[in-house]
Coordinates of all heavy atoms in Angstrom, one line a residue:
E348 N 12.8 178.4 136.1 CA 13.5 178.9 135.0 C 15.0 178.7 135.1 O 15.7 178.6 134.0 CB 13.2 180.4 134.9 CG 11.8 180.6 134.4 CD 11.5 180.3 133.0 OE1 12.5 180.2 132.1 OE2 10.3 179.8 132.7
V349 N 15.6 178.6 136.3 CA 16.9 178.3 136.5 C 17.0 177.3 137.6 O 16.2 177.1 138.5 CB 17.8 179.5 137.0 CG1 17.8 180.6 135.8 CG2 17.2 180.3 138.1
P350 N 18.1 176.4 137.6 CA 18.3 175.5 138.7 C 18.4 176.1 140.1 O 18.8 177.4 140.2 CB 19.6 174.9 138.3 CG 19.8 175.0 136.9 CD 19.2 176.4 136.6
R351 N 18.1 175.4 141.1 CA 18.0 175.9 142.5 C 18.5 174.8 143.4 O 18.5 173.6 142.9 CB 16.7 176.4 142.8 CG 15.5 175.3 142.8 CD 14.2 175.9 143.0 NE 13.1 175.0 143.0 CZ 12.8 174.1 144.0 NH1 13.5 174.2 145.1 NH2 11.8 173.3 143.9
P352 N 18.8 175.1 144.6 CA 19.3 174.0 145.6 C 18.1 173.2 145.9 O 17.0 173.6 146.2 CB 19.8 174.9 146.8 CG 19.9 176.3 146.4 CD 18.9 176.5 145.2
G353 N 18.4 171.9 145.9 CA 17.4 170.8 146.4 C 17.9 170.3 147.7 O 18.8 170.8 148.4
S354 N 17.4 169.2 148.2 CA 17.7 168.5 149.4 C 19.1 167.8 149.1 O 19.5 167.6 148.0 CB 16.7 167.5 149.9 OG 16.5 166.5 149.0
R355 N 19.7 167.4 150.3 CA 21.0 166.7 150.1 C 22.1 167.4 149.5 O 23.0 166.9 148.9 CB 20.8 165.2 149.4 CG 20.0 164.3 150.0 CD 19.7 163.1 149.1 NE 18.8 163.4 148.0 CZ 18.9 163.0 146.9 NH1 19.8 162.1 146.4 NH2 18.0 163.3 145.9
G356 N 22.0 168.7 149.4 CA 23.1 169.5 148.6 C 23.0 169.4 147.1 O 24.0 169.7 146.5
T357 N 21.9 168.9 146.6 CA 21.8 168.7 145.1 C 21.4 170.1 144.5 O 21.0 171.1 145.2 CB 20.7 167.7 144.8 OG1 19.5 167.9 145.3 CG2 21.2 166.2 145.3
T358 N 21.5 170.0 143.3 CA 21.0 171.1 142.3 C 19.8 170.6 141.5 O 20.1 169.6 140.9 CB 22.1 171.7 141.5 OG1 23.1 172.3 142.4 CG2 21.6 172.8 140.6
V359 N 18.7 171.2 141.6 CA 17.4 170.7 140.9 C 16.7 171.7 140.1 O 16.9 172.8 140.2 CB 16.6 170.1 141.9 CG1 17.3 169.0 142.8 CG2 15.9 171.1 142.9
A360 N 16.0 171.1 139.2 CA 15.0 172.0 138.5 C 13.8 171.2 138.1 O 14.0 170.0 137.8 CB 15.5 172.7 137.2
F361 N 12.4 171.8 138.2 CA 11.3 171.0 137.9 C 10.9 171.3 136.5 O 10.8 172.5 136.1 CB 10.2 171.4 138.9 CG 10.4 170.5 140.2 CD1 11.1 171.0 141.3 CD2 9.9 169.2 140.4 CE1 11.4 170.2 142.5 CE2 10.1 168.5 141.6 CZ 10.8 169.1 142.6
V362 N 10.3 170.4 135.9 CA 9.7 170.5 134.5 C 8.3 170.4 134.6 O 7.8 169.4 135.4 CB 10.4 169.5 133.5 CG1 9.6 169.5 132.2 CG2 11.9 169.7 133.4
H363 N 7.5 171.2 134.0 CA 6.1 171.3 134.1 C 5.4 170.0 133.6 O 5.8 169.6 132.5 CB 5.4 172.5 133.6 CG 4.2 172.9 134.0 ND1 3.0 172.1 133.9 CD2 3.9 173.9 134.9 CE1 2.0 172.8 134.5 NE2 2.5 173.7 135.0
P364 N 4.4 169.3 134.3 CA 3.8 168.2 133.9 C 2.9 168.4 132.5 O 2.6 167.5 131.8 CB 3.0 167.7 135.1 CG 2.8 168.9 135.9 CD 4.0 169.7 135.7
K365 N 2.5 169.7 132.4 CA 1.6 169.9 131.3 C 2.1 169.5 129.9 O 1.4 169.0 129.1 CB 1.2 171.4 131.3 CG -0.1 171.8 130.7 CD -1.2 171.8 131.6 CE -2.5 172.0 130.8 NZ -3.7 171.9 131.8
T366 N 3.4 169.9 129.7 CA 4.0 169.5 128.4 C 4.9 168.3 128.6 O 5.8 168.0 127.6 CB 4.8 170.7 127.9 OG1 5.8 171.2 128.9 CG2 3.8 171.8 127.4
A367 N 4.8 167.6 129.7 CA 5.6 166.3 129.8 C 4.7 165.1 130.1 O 5.0 164.2 130.9 CB 6.5 166.5 131.1
F368 N 3.6 165.1 129.3 CA 2.7 163.9 129.4 C 2.2 163.6 130.8 O 2.0 162.4 131.2 CB 3.4 162.7 128.6 CG 3.7 163.1 127.3 CD1 4.9 163.6 126.9 CD2 2.8 162.7 126.3 CE1 5.0 164.0 125.5 CE2 2.9 163.0 125.0 CZ 4.1 163.7 124.5
G369 N 2.0 164.6 131.6 CA 1.3 164.5 132.8 C 2.2 164.1 134.0 O 1.7 163.8 135.1
T370 N 3.5 164.1 133.8 CA 4.3 163.7 134.9 C 5.2 165.0 135.4 O 5.9 165.5 134.4 CB 5.3 162.6 134.5 OG1 4.5 161.5 134.0 CG2 6.2 162.2 135.6
L371 N 5.1 165.3 136.6 CA 6.1 166.3 137.1 C 7.5 165.7 137.1 O 7.7 164.6 137.8 CB 5.7 166.7 138.5 CG 6.5 167.7 139.3 CD1 6.8 169.1 138.5 CD2 5.9 168.0 140.7
I372 N 8.5 166.3 136.4 CA 9.9 165.8 136.3 C 10.8 166.7 137.0 O 10.7 167.9 137.0 CB 10.2 165.6 134.9 CG1 9.5 164.6 134.1 CG2 11.8 165.4 134.8 CD1 9.6 164.6 132.6
E373 N 11.6 166.0 137.8 CA 12.7 166.9 138.6 C 14.1 166.4 137.9 O 14.4 165.2 137.9 CB 12.7 166.6 140.1 CG 13.7 167.3 140.8 CD 13.6 167.0 142.3 OE1 12.9 166.1 142.8 OE2 14.2 167.7 143.1
L374 N 14.8 167.4 137.6 CA 16.2 167.1 137.1 C 17.1 167.3 138.3 O 17.2 168.4 138.9 CB 16.6 168.0 135.9 CG 15.5 168.0 134.8 CD1 15.8 169.2 133.7 CD2 15.7 166.7 134.1

Side-chain angles (χ1 to χ4, degrees):
E348 287 296 329
V349 291
R351 61 187 180 84
S354 66
R355 295 172 284 149
T357 58
T358 299
V359 304
F361 280 92
V362 172
H363 203 289
K365 201 88 181 176
T366 50
F368 297 86
T370 305
L371 177 59
I372 292 174
E373 181 179 11
L374 304 170

